[in-house]
Amino acid sequence: MKLRLSFLILATLFLGCKSSQHKTAYDGKSGATKIVNTLHYPQEKHLKNIKQLTFGGDNAEAYWSFDSNKLVFQVNNIWGLECDQIFTMGINDDLSKGQKPQLISTGTGRTTCSYFLPGDATIIYSSTHLASKECPPVPKKEDYGNKYIWPVYKGYDIFVADTKGNQLKQLTFEEGYDAEPTVSPKGDKIVFTSTRTGDLELFTMNIDGTNVKQVTFELGYDGGAFFSPDGTKLIFRSSRPKTEEEIKEYKDLLAEGLVQPTNMELYTCNVDGSNLTKITNLGSANWAPFFHPSGNKVIFSSNHKTKHSFNLFMINVDGTGLEQITFDTVFDAFPMFSPDGKKIVFSSNRNNNGTHDTNLFIADWVE
C-alpha cells in the first residue's frame, strides 16, 4: 500500500528492464543479457512451495482477507487498463490462461492501497475517480533533474466496496491526499496517510470513518503503515528531511503534489503515536514493512544492499538481527503474512522472461 507500482518504475529506471523473477546474467564482453527464469532461489530458506498467482501486467500490493483465503490487489498494464485498478481473487484461483479476476474499483481514475474489512465481505481502497474519470497525469522525471518522484494526487479519497465491485460508501472527504488505508487485525480501526494538515502524516479512524486522530507530526512523508498482530502498534516508512536543503526540496515538491521517496527508514509507534522508534538506519529506500506474526519482527523491502535491486529483509523491532529473506536480481516487495501466519504473499519480477511484468507469489513460511 504503499509506494505502489510507482516503485516498480523505480526498479525499471535502475536497470532499464525488470527481470525479477528470473536471474539475469551479463556477458562482460558483449553486454548481452541471458535470462534464466527462477521461481525459488536456493538461499530463500524461509520460503517453501512458492506458487505464482498472476501472469502478466503489473500486479502488486496484494493483501490477505481475514480468513486467509483471498487476496485484494491492484493491477495495471493488462486487460486494456491504463491506470491502476483494484481486483480480488481466491488464493486457489487459476489465472494462468489470462482469466480476469473480480474488479472491485470503478474502473475509472487511479486507485491504490486496498484492504479487506472485518467479515471479508467489504473492501476499502483509495481512488481518484470522483476527482476525474481519467487517469491523472504522471510527472516526468526529466522535469525534476531526472530524480525519482512520486505523485500524491490530491484527488485521492478512501472508499468502501463489496466483493462484487458495488460501491457502498465514501470514508474521507477532506481536500487533498487521503490514501494508503490498512485495517487493524482487531477490526476496529483504519490507519491512513493524509495531507489534511499540510504535510504527509499518519491518521487513524474508526471502521466507519469517524473519530479521526492524527498519529505523526514531524515534517516528512509518513506512509505505508500497518498494524501489529495485536493491533496496538504501527509500522511505517518515513522520509524525513533534516538539512535546510532537504527541507526546502521536500516542501517545494509537496507543494506540487510530489514526494521523492528514495531515502526512507522504518519506524514503529503505538497506535496513538507515542513511543515513536526508528528501527532501521540502512540508507536508500526501506519500505513496504509488515509485522511478523509474532509481533517481534518486521519484514520489508529494501535496496540498501544492492542499489539496483529490491529484496525482502527481516529485522527485530529493536533494530537488531537484520536478515535477508529473498535473493532476487531486481524486485521483490509488498510482503504480507497471512492472518493465520502460515503463508506469505509478495510481488516480484521473477519468472517473467525478461519482460516488465510484476506478478504475485505466495509461499509457505518456514521459521
Side-chain angles (χ1 to χ4, degrees), residues 117-332:
L117 288 164
D120 296 334
T122 52
I123 291 167
I124 55 169
Y125 71 98
S126 313
S127 177
T128 66
H129 69 267
L130 287 187
S132 174
K133 292 185 177 180
E134 304 300 320
C135 290
V138 177
K140 298 179 180 179
K141 62 184 179 64
E142 294 84 359
D143 296 336
Y144 298 90
N146 287 317
K147 295 180 180 179
Y148 175 67
I149 52 174
W150 179 50
V152 285
Y153 298 114
K154 65 179 182 180
Y156 268 125
D157 274 303
I158 299 172
F159 301 86
V160 179
D162 68 19
T163 54
K164 298 298 182 182
N166 297 307
Q167 305 303 307
L168 303 179
K169 188 177 182 180
Q170 183 176 349
L171 294 184
T172 61
F173 299 86
E174 296 287 333
E175 180 73 20
Y177 180 84
D178 287 312
E180 307 178 30
T182 66
V183 181
S184 170
K186 294 168 63 176
D188 60 338
K189 291 186 180 298
I190 295 168
V191 63
F192 64 103
T193 295
S194 176
T195 56
R196 62 185 61 198
T197 60
D199 192 17
L200 285 158
E201 306 285 9
L202 295 182
F203 293 79
T204 59
M205 62 182 171
N206 293 339
I207 291 295
D208 62 1
T210 62
N211 195 28
V212 176
K213 295 183 178 180
Q214 188 170 346
V215 175
T216 58
F217 295 85
E218 187 175 334
L219 182 70
Y221 168 46
D222 297 331
F226 291 91
F227 290 87
S228 60
D230 64 3
T232 65
K233 297 183 181 297
L234 297 171
I235 177 72
F236 62 98
R237 62 173 182 244
S238 183
S239 180
R240 296 187 169 185
K242 298 299 182 184
T243 67
E244 288 187 11
E245 181 180 359
E246 290 172 344
I247 291 171
K248 182 180 185 306
E249 182 177 37
Y250 173 79
K251 289 183 174 180
D252 288 348
L253 286 173
L254 187 58
E256 297 184 51
L258 303 168
V259 291
Q260 185 181 338
T262 50
N263 290 289
M264 296 185 294
E265 301 293 349
L266 304 183
Y267 290 75
T268 61
C269 66
N270 295 328
V271 169
D272 63 3
S274 62
N275 196 28
L276 181 67
T277 305
K278 184 179 182 182
I279 68 169
T280 64
N281 192 27
L282 300 172
S284 300
N286 306 283
W287 61 294
F290 195 84
F291 276 100
H292 180 272
S294 68
N296 298 322
K297 300 178 180 180
V298 172
I299 192 168
F300 63 101
S301 182
S302 176
N303 68 334
H304 76 275
K305 191 171 183 180
T306 306
K307 299 300 182 185
H308 298 314
S309 64
F310 284 90
N311 275 290
L312 303 184
F313 294 81
M314 185 169 284
I315 194 169
N316 295 327
V317 292
D318 64 1
T320 65
L322 182 67
E323 179 184 8
Q324 187 167 347
I325 303 300
T326 65
F327 293 81
D328 201 356
T329 57
V330 180
F331 184 85
D332 289 337

Side-chain angles (χ1 to χ4, degrees), residues 47-51 342-344 346 361-365:
L47 307 181
K48 183 180 179 182
N49 300 324
I50 294 182
K51 177 184 176 183
K342 295 180 179 179
K343 295 183 181 293
I344 189 170
F346 63 100
F361 298 81
I362 60 171
D364 296 333
W365 179 256

Side-chain angles (χ1 to χ4, degrees), residues 55-56 78-79 94-101:
F55 301 84
I78 194 172
W79 307 313
D94 182 1
L95 304 184
S96 62
K97 306 300 182 184
Q99 299 91 325
K100 186 177 180 179

